[in-house]
Amino acid sequence: MILSEDKIKELIEKKELVIQPLLDIKQIGQISIDLRIGYDFLVSIQGRDPYINASRNKEDEENSIEGVYSINHFFQETRRRIGETILLYPQQTVLSSTLEYVRLPNNIMMSIHTRSSYVRLGLSVNTIIQPGYCGCISLELTNNNKNTINLTVGAPIIQAVLHEVTDKTEYLRKGRKYICQVRPKVSMIQEDNDLSILKEIWKNSRQ
């Protein structure tokens, strides 16, 4: 069930749902909440390494997380002030986070959608947030346009839709890679347990 405006406001008033700072009550629409782009960015750049290593099928995997194949090498950190702008070049991905800190109840999930006006410019941001999550929401901004897009820090670029789930869940019951973050963080895909299992299959197949 998708939560309506009255239900969203009721949860906020009871402090069961936290969204701070909620700068304008008009951010809450009939079935969604407009959220704003924050200050910090990790901008994708052309790294010196030949590719981004999203695998563990390397003999020198111990170097791949913090060392020569670190995903961090492909992103550059920068910060802007409210009202400043940042350029998003064609086919570029920039990691950011919402200006708002969010804490969800254990029976509410959030789906994130790019606002229509920005979709029409070629911008895409889509993800889901698990029940019980707390932190600023990570935004993976990708410019699918052939032209550069200029984004203003503090602009409401996404819509969050809240869905009630049938049973309560415990966000921290399973191991999480991204917990209560307030700044953007690069992909931690190399820590996926699935990749470790696949690596063992790969190694055994070579024997």
Side-chain angles (χ1 to χ4, degrees):
M1 181 179 70
I2 294 176
L3 272 55
S4 63
E5 180 178 2
D6 289 343
K7 183 64 177 177
I8 294 171
K9 289 179 177 176
E10 178 186 329
L11 289 175
I12 292 175
E13 191 173 329
K14 291 181 177 176
K15 302 188 185 304
E16 294 177 16
L17 169 64
V18 175
I19 301 176
Q20 294 179 340
L22 193 60
L23 300 179
D24 189 338
I25 196 64
K26 292 180 181 176
Q27 284 179 247
I28 303 176
Q30 290 185 319
I31 58 165
S32 64
I33 308 169
D34 290 343
L35 299 178
R36 302 161 187 261
I37 187 171
Y39 315 92
D40 296 297
F41 300 90
L42 292 172
V43 179
S44 62
I45 57 173
Q46 185 72 49
R48 284 184 292 182
D49 299 328
Y51 57 85
I52 297 176
N53 184 19
S55 171
R56 294 184 75 100
N57 284 9
K58 294 191 67 64
E59 298 297 341
D60 56 348
E61 72 159 6
E62 65 274 11
N63 294 323
S64 65
I65 296 176
E66 299 294 340
V68 295
Y69 289 102
S70 172
I71 293 176
N72 290 322
H73 291 175
F74 292 87
F75 291 88
Q76 189 171 60
E77 188 175 343
T78 185
R79 170 173 269 205
R80 299 286 190 278
R81 290 176 294 185
I82 293 288
E84 283 191 306
T85 60
I86 186 167
L87 295 175
L88 198 62
Y89 294 97
Q91 306 306 314
Q92 186 179 38
T93 296
V94 172
L95 308 180
S96 183
S97 55
T98 56
L99 189 66
E100 294 84 1
Y101 178 92
V102 173
R103 181 162 55 82
L104 295 176
N106 289 333
N107 64 334
I108 302 294
M109 64 156 283
M110 179 180 275
S111 59
I112 301 297
H113 308 272
T114 315
R115 290 184 63 207
S116 176
S117 295
Y118 288 92
V119 173
R120 296 167 199 227
L121 299 178
L123 184 70
S124 67
V125 186
N126 296 289
T127 190
I128 64 168
I129 310 299
Q130 301 283 340
Y133 174 84
C134 63
C136 294
I137 296 172
S138 182
L139 303 177
E140 299 83 16
L141 309 169
T142 299
N143 179 6
N144 297 306
N145 202 326
K146 294 181 179 177
N147 299 293
T148 300
I149 302 173
N150 194 17
L151 296 176
T152 302
V153 174
I157 67 168
I158 61 170
Q159 290 180 318
V161 178
L162 298 173
H163 307 258
E164 186 173 356
V165 298
T166 54
D167 298 307
K168 289 186 177 181
T169 63
E170 294 180 29
Y171 183 72
L172 298 178
R173 186 178 61 186
K174 292 185 176 181
R176 301 287 181 182
K177 292 184 293 185
Y178 312 101
I179 300 172
C180 297
Q181 61 185 54
V182 294
R183 292 184 176 178
K185 199 166 189 174
V186 299
S187 170
M188 298 172 68
I189 192 169
Q190 291 170 334
E191 296 186 11
D192 279 6
N193 188 49
D194 290 345
L195 291 182
S196 297
I197 296 171
L198 290 169
K199 179 179 179 179
E200 289 304 311
I201 294 173
W202 172 71
K203 286 171 66 176
N204 292 334
S205 69
R206 300 177 70 199
Q207 293 176 354

